[in-house]
Each structure stands twice: as structure tokens, then as C-alpha cells.
Amino acid sequence: HQLKDAAAYREARRMLTEELGGVASIKNELERAQFVYEESNMLTVGTNPVNIFAQIASDSIKQPGMDIEQMHLGPEYRCKFKICCNRPENDAHWDSDEPAWVGKASMSRRHKFLTTKNLHFQWFNALVFGLVDESLGGASKQEAFEEVTSMKAAALEYTKNAVEWSDDVGLFFHVFGHNNVNSLHMHILDMNALGPSYYKHEYRNCPVDAVIKVLREEMEVELVASLLSPDAQISSLASEGIARLASAGTGKRRPGVRGTDADTVLLDVGGERLSVARDAFLLAPERSLLRRVAAPRPEDGGFSVDGDGRVFLNFPPRAFKRITDHLVLLQMAPSDVAVKPPSLPWAVREEVEHLAWLLGVWDLVVAGAQWGRGAPLETSARPR
């Protein structure tokens, strides 16, 4: 089976937690094979079994010439991570078509690995990131997300500083079940010089961005659940409200429904009053927190109202307005016009990015340009 995208990674984590006994089953397997110390939950670094990246991370094995490469990580990352190399003969045969080397040789002319110095078993493979119980020393989904994001930044810092790397860099994990080594290693590849082994392993090269995407989704679900009251957490009532909203047309204001009318959502955002076109909120993904703000009744989305009947959101108004202004522009822009992410001062950017992620509209607001959702421009009406 292929495991090379977010959908497959998401499904693998679902199967692990719902059908295969969870992280405990993997931990038991690693303990039986003597890859993990039962008492400390740390990876073993002895010679039987050999667990090469754990041994390199612990300095049990020194790779010749890699001290210089380690410096390319920069001071921020070299204290946490370690750059590793392939066997010299595997590097030398990176472009060989001989069957003996295809799948064994390096996947690119420039192929390195990034591992972590943290040998807790929760970091042994991407499959279990953020799934290990806190009682075993496990990190939260947010901490796992931050760790993988940091690994990506470290790898790109390395390729920026190292010799001869192009700007086209691929970062991949081999998820448990498709891995050969039971200690963490991110493949760092120069995509401008790929060899036959890359295509041999393509079915299991899971991009780091796919892992980050799924961790972000899972973290969002947890944060939303913590923000909503227990009886409103992803309830059938909320789902029914969203379904009614998706099928409803425009019309007159319905009596007895506070916080909304057919075309406008009335809000109290951190004490500041806003009125936003409902269609702008309907651009948000169906299960996102922002989409719930547009539910026909506040209680359908799990929200309360203030004394004036406005939906109350305890968010920073400045960042929220930046996000909604961008969605309004996106909703109005012609479908053949690309709308770039908002240009933000440094003091505001981080706040907007965090809130966009929490609201579930990161891809719409932050990730990159989006095509408008309005009618296309007539050719004669295009700006010159």
C-alpha cells in the first residue's frame, strides 16, 4: 500500500488508534524486539539490535566528516537535531540502474538524514507523533506539530548553508510499516538530482508537509473541543445546523433567531461589534470553527450571545477583522483573479496566522494566493 500523502498518513493514524490497539501495541512490539527500554521508554542504543539513527543521535556512533555538516544546521537547531549521511557506497551509486543498487543506493545525488537527539520512543517514527499518552511522557498534538515544524526548518537551514544544494528540496518520512529503521530519520533530498532509488521508494515517501497538515488538523479538533461547552462539542445539533445552513437560500430575517439574519452574522468579538456577510464565512471548510460561527442559530455552533443578541467570540478583534476582511475580498473577487494573502505588519502577522489556523482557514488566508469566488471578469473589463 502507498503511504505518500496526507490522506494515507491520516488513515494510518486512524487505523492505529481505532483498529490496531493504539500506540501501546507498537510500544510492546518495540520492547519485544529490544528497540525500547520498558522502564525508561527510551530507544536502545546498543549493538543488538542495531538502531543506527538512535546510535548516531546518542554519539554511540560517529560518522566521519559529519561534524562539519552538523555546523550547517546553525546554533538554533544543532542542539536538538543531528545531520546524518548514508554509506559512502550508497551515495556513490545514487544514479545506478543496476538491480543490486536500485532501492539500496541514495535517492538523490545529495541525500542526507535529519534525526532528533531526543530518544524518547514517541519520536521513533512519524506514525505516533502526538499519540503517546502523557503518563508515558508523551507530547501533546501541539508540541508534536511544533517539533515537526522545527525539523522542517532545521533541514531547510542545513540545505541553505551546505554546499551545492539547489532550492528544490524534498523532505520525507517513511511511516511505520514502511520503515526499515526504528529510529527517527527525515530524508533530505535535492530534487534536482534524483536517482532510480527515489522512484523505487516513491510509494512510501511521505512528505513532511503532509505530516504537518494532519497534525494541524488533529490539533484544531482538540482546540475546538476545548473551546466549546461539553454539550456542544461536535454535536449532532451543530452538524444539523450546518447542514441546514448549507441548503438554505436567502430570505427575510427569521423571528426569534438572535445573532444572525439571512445574509449577515452579527458578532461581538472581544467586545468589538462586527457585522459580516454570511457568504464570507461559508468559504470556510465545513467542519471548521469559523463555519460554525455562521450557523443559523448561535447554539447550533456552540456559541453564546451577548446582551444585544450578538454571537460572542473571545478572540482578538484586530486579527479577526483582518481575517474576515480577506474572506470578504475573496468572496467578492472574480474567479479568474488570484487574491494574495493579506500583507501584514510583523506585529500583527503572527496573531493573524495563529487565529487563522484555530478558525480552520489557514489555507484560505495564509497558505498562498486563492482564486476569487465571484463571477469571472469580462475580458474588456480587466484592469490593464
Side-chain angles (χ1 to χ4, degrees):
H1 296 290
Q2 295 186 347
L3 212 167
K4 62 175 187 176
D5 55 29
Y9 177 63
R10 186 185 301 113
E11 175 63 10
R13 285 166 68 87
R14 185 202 66 77
M15 289 183 63
L16 173 65
T17 56
E18 296 181 11
E19 300 178 15
L20 302 177
V23 172
S25 63
I26 292 182
K27 183 172 182 287
N28 290 338
E29 181 179 335
L30 294 173
E31 288 172 353
R32 285 195 300 270
Q34 299 183 1
F35 284 108
V36 172
Y37 294 113
E38 183 177 357
E39 299 80 10
S40 64
N41 299 318
M42 305 296 282
L43 297 178
T44 59
V45 294
T47 58
N48 187 22
V50 172
N51 201 2
I52 185 65
F53 293 104
Q55 292 173 301
I56 294 171
S58 66
D59 289 328
S60 300
I61 289 179
K62 292 277 191 181
Q63 292 190 305
M66 293 306 293
D67 286 343
I68 295 175
E69 299 295 312
Q70 182 72 8
M71 297 301 291
H72 293 322
L73 284 175
E76 181 179 356
Y77 299 114
R78 61 176 176 253
C79 61
K80 293 179 58 180
F81 305 116
K82 200 137 189 178
I83 285 287
C84 314
C85 63
N86 216 333
R87 294 176 181 270
E89 61 271 25
N90 291 351
D91 283 339
H93 289 86
W94 71 273
D95 57 350
S96 174
D97 290 322
E98 295 181 18
W101 290 106
V102 175
K104 178 180 178 182
S106 296
M107 289 191 277
S108 170
R109 179 194 294 271
R110 285 167 286 279
H111 182 174
K112 293 292 189 287
F113 308 92
L114 185 76
T115 191
T116 176
K117 294 183 179 182
N118 186 340
L119 296 184
H120 192 284
F121 89 97
Q122 67 179 311
W123 304 116
F124 96 97
N125 189 270
L127 182 62
V128 301
F129 289 167
L131 296 180
V132 176
D133 192 85
E134 185 180 350
S135 64
L136 297 175
S140 66
K141 296 281 177 57
Q142 180 170 344
E143 289 168 332
F145 171 84
E146 292 171 353
E147 184 74 2
V148 179
T149 303
S150 185
M151 287 190 73
K152 175 183 176 180
L156 295 178
E157 180 72 11
Y158 168 78
T159 59
K160 182 182 75 173
N161 296 329
V163 177
E164 295 184 342
W165 282 77
S166 76
D167 292 333
D168 190 4
V169 177
L171 306 175
F172 304 96
F173 290 114
H174 288 172
V175 177
F176 188 73
H178 287 296
N179 62 315
N180 296 328
V181 180
N182 286 322
S183 48
L184 186 64
H185 54 290
M186 176 194 288
H187 295 265
I188 309 173
L189 307 180
D190 190 329
M191 303 298 283
N192 275 1
L194 296 176
S197 287
Y198 172 81
Y199 301 100
K200 176 75 171 180
H201 294 300
E202 191 173 15
Y203 75 98
R204 60 172 178 165
N205 286 340
C206 187
V208 64
D209 283 341
V211 173
I212 289 173
K213 178 181 180 180
V214 172
L215 289 174
R216 183 188 293 124
E217 292 171 356
E218 294 177 359
M219 182 167 57
E220 178 183 318
V221 169
E222 288 188 351
L223 282 173
V224 169
S226 69
L227 287 171
L228 300 179
S229 58
D231 58 347
Q233 292 176 10
I234 316 179
S235 63
S236 58
L237 181 61
S239 301
E240 290 168 7
I242 291 171
R244 288 197 302 271
L245 175 60
S247 62
T250 58
K252 297 180 180 179
R253 182 180 177 91
R254 293 173 294 168
V257 179
R258 298 180 297 169
T260 67
D261 61 25
D263 302 310
T264 307
V265 181
L266 307 177
L267 302 170
D268 177 348
V269 183
E272 191 164 327
R273 293 184 171 195
L274 295 176
S275 300
V276 183
R278 182 189 303 282
D279 285 347
F281 286 166
L282 294 182
L283 296 180
E286 185 171 335
R287 296 185 63 186
S288 66
L289 180 57
L290 189 61
R291 184 68 172 259
R292 294 183 199 177
V293 175
R297 298 179 298 180
E299 57 268 28
D300 288 348
F303 301 102
S304 59
V305 295
D306 67 8
D308 295 325
R310 292 175 174 265
V311 177
F312 178 73
L313 301 174
N314 190 24
F315 297 134
R318 177 177 63 174
F320 190 85
K321 285 196 294 184
R322 294 274 190 167
I323 291 169
T324 54
D325 286 348
H326 184 74
L327 293 177
V328 169
L329 177 61
L330 188 61
Q331 192 267 332
M332 295 175 61
S335 60
D336 49 356
V337 172
V339 180
K340 296 180 180 179
S343 179
L344 301 169
W346 178 255
V348 181
R349 186 183 311 155
E350 187 173 9
E351 185 178 88
V352 169
E353 289 180 353
H354 283 306
L355 186 57
W357 169 80
L358 175 61
L359 293 172
V361 291
W362 171 277
D363 290 341
L364 290 173
V365 178
V366 177
Q370 299 278 325
W371 294 110
R373 302 310 199 262
L377 276 176
E378 296 291 339
T379 302
S380 60
R382 292 181 182 278
R384 303 188 178 202

